[in-house]
Every structure is written in C-alpha cells, then in structure tokens.
C-alpha cells in the first residue's frame, strides 16, 4: 500500500511537515475553497501541488471533486455542471494528477451524531447513534413520516431520552449533523437542510442510480482518455437516512456501479469503515472481487451495535477483521505488482490533541498517526509471512 495522509490545506493545524514525520509519502487533498460545481483552474491546482511537492511529498489523490446536487437530481443546469466536471478533470490531468475520489450521497456527505464520544481510556471517537438520529429526525427536524424508518424499540428509547435532553445536547446533535464534518461541502441551517431534502421527495434508489450512471457515462470516457481514475466513495453510513436514497452501500451496489461503465477509470474507494457498518458486507470477499477497480483505500474499523448504532474503534479492533482485509490487499498487490494508495481513515482524538479545539473532527494528527503505524506494521507482518 502506498501510505498517504489527508490534509485540509493551509488552515489545517496538521501540517505537511507533520505528515512527513508520520511516515506517509503521499498527500490527499482538494481545492476546498472552490465552490461545488465550478471548474478547478490549473493555476489553483498548481499552487497546491507546488506547496505539497516543496515539502518532498506527492499529491497522491484528490478527495474530492464533489458532485453538484443538480447532477445528482438531473435538474437545472446539470449538463453545464457535468461539462465543468470534465474540464476540471482535464485541468488536473494537465497538472499531472490522475486520481479522483468522489461520492454520490444526496445532500449530506458522511454523517455522525456525536463527534467527541468519550471512550473508556479518555480519548474520544466519532459515533453514529441510531437513537440520536431518531431524535433528530422525529423531534428536531420533524420530518414527516420519519417514525416509519425506526423500530419501535428505537422510537421508545428516543422518546424517553428526548424528555430529559439538555439544550446543549440538542445543539451538539444538530451541529454534528448539519455542520460538523470536515470535507463536506456545505454547512447548513435546519431550514436550508429541509429545503434540500425536499428536493429528493419521490426520488427512488433506481432513479438516483440512473442519474449516477448518466454522469459516469458522460465523464468516464473523458477520464479514460486522460488516464484519470475516478473512485467512488461508499455511502457513510451505508443505509438510508432522512428518507434519502443511499445507493453505494453493498456488494450488489458495487456490481451495478462497475457495470454502469466498463472501464478501469470507473473505480472504487474501498472504505472499510463505511462498508463495514453494514453487517451484510463481507469485506475481504468484496475487496478480492473488485480489486482491479479499487484505486484508493480508506482503512478504519467500526464497532457495530445491535440497534444499528456504531462507533469508530481502533484501526485494528472493532467489528471488521482488518487482518483479513489487509491480507487480501497484500496478496493482490503481490500478484498485480500494483501499490494502492491508502490512508489511515480517521483516528481518535487523544494525547495532546485532546486539549486542542480541532476543527477537523476525525482528522487529528496523533490518532491517525497511531492508525497508520498499526496498519503499516500489520502490512509488513503479512507481507513477510506470505
Ligand atoms: C470522511 C470522508 C468522506 C469522503 C467523501 C468522498 O471522512 O471519507 O467525506 O471524503 O465522501 O467524496
């Protein structure tokens, strides 16, 4: 695996020099300041690339060039937005960057309800709590029909917790969902959020998949010609939330994806944390099946709970067998001669980072450094053993 680290650009307190010290050779970043749907200009791309290279690192992956909501919904100026996307691909390729991560999640990118969930050892983790999600949807946002999406046990627990909830906790849940997470495109108010969700009224999984297929059929031939690979990020969490269709959650969804356009440029970001939150997913088997299309690895572990909640565990612990996955990856790399870019995904807020008011939840230095160190050790051990 080629070791990389995500960097949010100059505002990120984790600097490029820290990334080098962590042992990564590659950087994963994006033009975070360019509004979604606009063309990435070469001058802007070069500026970031030069900054990364001046530190002796390489810009390994773009995460992400986001997809405008009009493209997902096929409405308004979506054809123009697709042309913009193609132009961005041409511009990155002209600068020598050939790897692009993106997602097709409606409205929200990744979602958690708790960004600083205390673990027993004193560090904090990201958590998705089904009951808190039900509180948000049923009692805070008051989405019509939301109750139907929850079991009676979860609803009962949500009602009882909501009776005693403090104003601070309400704020924490709202902030986590509407404006908490790094890498997401927009911070939203509740009203804006409701408006955006309403646009998806009546949009089925099938329809959203057709819109993804249309987008890929437009963009992948251009990418292929440029030698660019696109790697879709699975939906996180991998199930519907807020009544929105989520379409990249399982092996069957990935089957559909690769069949939308049969090209090596139409690839996958294999995110073990996102896919791992769906208990039906057999991750080692899925990696082996789609390996030729996996262009990017996000390695992290979630611990699943009975009601559908989960939290982010240590990279080598949790409900996912990381050993079995890395073994499949090492086998594939040995037989194909490829080295797939990998980033240790997320990390606990721990040690000195606990005292910092970190804007990039999940992306503190020390927790990710620990994750990278563990994953490198695991890889080396498996490699030597095979
Ligand atoms: C979360 C990230 C996601 C990811 C996007 C890719 O930590 O993995 O926000 O960057 O979904 O487009």
């Amino acid at each position: 695996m080629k070791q990389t680290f995500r960097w949010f650009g100059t505002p990120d307190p984790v600097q490029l020099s820290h990334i080098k010290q962590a042992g990564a050779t590659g950087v994963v970043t994006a033009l975070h300041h360019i509004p979604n749907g606009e063309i990435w200009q070469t001058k802007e791309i070069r500026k970031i690339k030069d900054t990364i290279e001046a530190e002796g690192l390489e810009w390994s992956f773009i995460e992400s060039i986001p997809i405008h909501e009009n493209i997902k919904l096929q409405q308004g100026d979506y054809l123009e937005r697709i042309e913009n996307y193609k132009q961005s691909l041409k511009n990155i390729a002209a600068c020598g960057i050939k790897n692009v991560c993106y997602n097709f999640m409606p409205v929200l990118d990744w979602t958690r309800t708790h960004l600083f969930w205390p673990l027993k050892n004193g560090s904090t983790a990201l958590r998705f709590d089904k009951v808190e999600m039900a509180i948000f949807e049923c009692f805070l946002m008051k989405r019509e029909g939301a109750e139907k999406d929850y079991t009676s046990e979860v609803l009962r627990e949500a009602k009882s917790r909501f009776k005693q909830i403090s104003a601070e906790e309400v704020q924490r849940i709202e902030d986590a969902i509407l404006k908490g997470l790094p890498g997401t495109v927009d911070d939203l108010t509740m009203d804006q959020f409701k408006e955006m969700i309403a646009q998806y009224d009546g949009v089925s999984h099938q329809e959203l998949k057709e819109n993804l297929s249309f987008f890929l059929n437009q963009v992948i031939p251009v990418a292929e010609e440029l030698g660019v690979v696109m790697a879709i990020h699975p939906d996180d969490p991998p199930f519907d939330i807020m009544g929105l269709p989520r379409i990249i959650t399982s092996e069957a969804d990935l089957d559909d994806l690769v069949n939308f356009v049969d090209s090596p440029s139409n690839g996958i970001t294999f995110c073990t944390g996102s896919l791992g939150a769906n208990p039906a997913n057999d991750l080692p088997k899925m990696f082996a099946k789609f390996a030729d299309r996996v262009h990017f690895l996000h390695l992290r572990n979630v611990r699943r709970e009975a009601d559908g909640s989960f939290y982010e565990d240590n990279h080598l612990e949790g409900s996912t067998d990381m050993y079995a996955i890395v073994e499949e990856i090492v086998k594939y790399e040995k037989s194909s001669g490829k080295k797939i870019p990998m980033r240790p995904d997320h990390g606990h807020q721990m040690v000195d980072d606990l005292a910092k008011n970190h804007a990039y939840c999940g992306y503190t230095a020390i927790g990710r450094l620990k994750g990278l160190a563990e994953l490198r050790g695991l890889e080396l051990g498996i490699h030597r053993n095979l």
Side-chain angles (χ1 to χ4, degrees):
M1 299 186 284
K2 179 181 214 153
Q3 289 144 24
T4 73
F5 226 65
R6 195 171 189 183
W7 179 60
F8 287 97
T10 36
D12 193 338
V14 180
Q15 296 160 19
L16 291 171
S17 59
H18 301 155
I19 293 177
K20 216 156 59 176
Q21 289 169 38
T25 53
V27 172
V28 172
T29 195
L31 300 189
H32 290 287
H33 60 291
I34 304 295
N36 185 2
E38 289 185 14
I39 298 173
W40 286 23
Q41 302 296 349
T42 4
K43 198 167 142 239
E44 294 294 311
I45 302 164
R46 287 233 163 82
K47 231 191 282 171
I48 309 252
K49 187 167 184 261
D50 290 348
T51 310
I52 293 171
E53 288 177 357
E55 206 54 62
L57 294 161
E58 171 201 80
W59 188 351
S60 307
F61 234 97
I62 292 173
E63 184 174 348
S64 311
I65 305 185
I67 315 280
H68 197 271
E69 289 302 303
N70 284 354
I71 298 178
K72 296 178 202 160
L73 284 160
Q74 278 200 8
Q75 69 179 14
D77 60 2
Y78 73 102
L79 290 173
E80 197 183 310
R81 300 282 180 187
I82 292 178
E83 290 311 311
N84 288 356
Y85 207 96
K86 291 182 193 166
Q87 190 57 48
S88 294
L89 295 184
K90 289 180 188 155
N91 293 350
I92 58 156
C95 297
I97 307 164
K98 305 284 183 95
N99 298 321
V100 180
C101 174
Y102 70 102
N103 73 75
F104 217 74
M105 291 177 247
V107 186
L108 293 167
D109 188 328
W110 58 311
T111 303
R112 298 288 181 274
T113 59
H114 206 320
L115 309 184
F116 306 97
W117 193 61
L119 295 168
K120 285 202 186 78
N121 66 8
S123 55
T124 74
L126 298 165
R127 175 176 173 83
F128 181 91
D129 189 296
K130 199 84 176 187
V131 173
E132 289 186 349
M133 196 66 197
I135 291 178
F136 179 84
E137 283 201 68
C138 302
F139 309 130
L140 303 175
M141 172 190 177
K142 303 194 174 77
R143 181 171 73 80
E144 211 175 301
E147 288 81 6
K148 285 203 299 289
D149 293 345
Y150 292 93
T151 61
S152 51
E153 291 82 40
V154 168
L155 278 180
R156 200 174 324 114
E157 179 63 21
K159 272 183 201 146
S160 112
R161 267 202 231 169
F162 190 62
K163 272 194 202 128
Q164 304 149 33
I165 204 166
S166 66
E168 288 77 34
E169 267 185 298
V170 167
Q171 195 64 50
R172 166 181 67 71
I173 297 172
E174 285 192 358
D175 285 353
I177 294 169
L178 298 179
K179 49 181 150 231
L181 294 174
T184 51
V185 177
D186 297 307
D187 283 353
L188 300 169
T189 63
M190 186 68 95
D191 285 340
Q192 288 168 330
F193 182 62
K194 282 183 171 170
E195 250 171 61
M196 288 181 77
I197 298 254
Q199 293 189 301
Y200 283 85
D201 265 358
V203 175
S204 65
H205 293 81
Q206 188 51 33
E207 213 172 321
L208 192 61
K209 274 194 178 169
E210 279 162 19
N211 296 355
L212 171 58
S213 173
F214 180 85
F215 168 73
L216 290 173
N217 276 286
Q218 291 279 312
V219 159
I220 293 295
V222 177
E224 194 174 314
E225 173 105 20
L226 296 165
V228 166
V229 297
M230 301 275 295
I232 197 164
H233 190 286
D235 298 344
D236 181 5
F239 42 78
D240 294 355
I241 47 174
M242 327 264 184
L244 295 167
R246 308 272 254 180
I247 56 169
I248 304 291
T249 64
S250 63
E251 184 178 336
D253 288 340
L254 291 176
D255 272 329
D256 285 346
L257 173 94
V258 297
N259 289 329
F260 287 156
V261 189
D262 185 15
S263 156
S265 288
N266 176 26
I268 297 166
T269 296
F270 197 79
C271 176
T272 57
S274 307
L275 293 168
N278 177 353
N281 286 334
D282 178 343
L283 299 192
K285 174 176 163 241
M286 285 166 73
F287 175 80
K289 175 169 177 181
F290 298 109
D292 281 337
R293 293 288 188 97
V294 174
H295 300 311
F296 195 16
L297 295 160
H298 287 182
L299 297 187
R300 96 182 135 80
N301 217 323
V302 292
R303 180 149 322 252
R304 297 185 298 264
E305 296 170 8
D307 69 356
S309 303
F310 60 84
Y311 68 90
E312 301 194 3
D313 207 334
N314 290 310
H315 287 74
L316 304 189
E317 288 153 43
S319 303
T320 295
D321 184 350
M322 195 59 81
Y323 182 98
I325 293 169
V326 175
E327 191 177 33
E328 285 301 333
I329 295 169
V330 172
K331 276 190 202 155
Y332 174 74
E333 289 194 339
K334 275 200 158 178
S335 65
S336 66
K338 284 189 199 158
K339 278 218 169 295
I340 309 175
M342 175 279 287
R343 63 176 184 78
D345 200 11
H346 308 170
H348 295 159
Q349 190 168 15
M350 62 194 299
V351 195
D352 288 9
D353 281 334
L354 282 169
K356 295 181 191 155
N357 187 7
H358 207 292
Y360 299 96
C361 301
Y363 288 97
T364 51
I366 301 171
R368 282 188 294 158
L369 200 156
K370 177 173 174 252
L372 180 63
E374 292 181 346
L375 290 163
R376 294 171 79 180
L378 179 63
E379 182 190 18
L380 180 69
I382 293 174
H383 209 273
R384 285 279 170 90
N385 221 19
L386 275 182

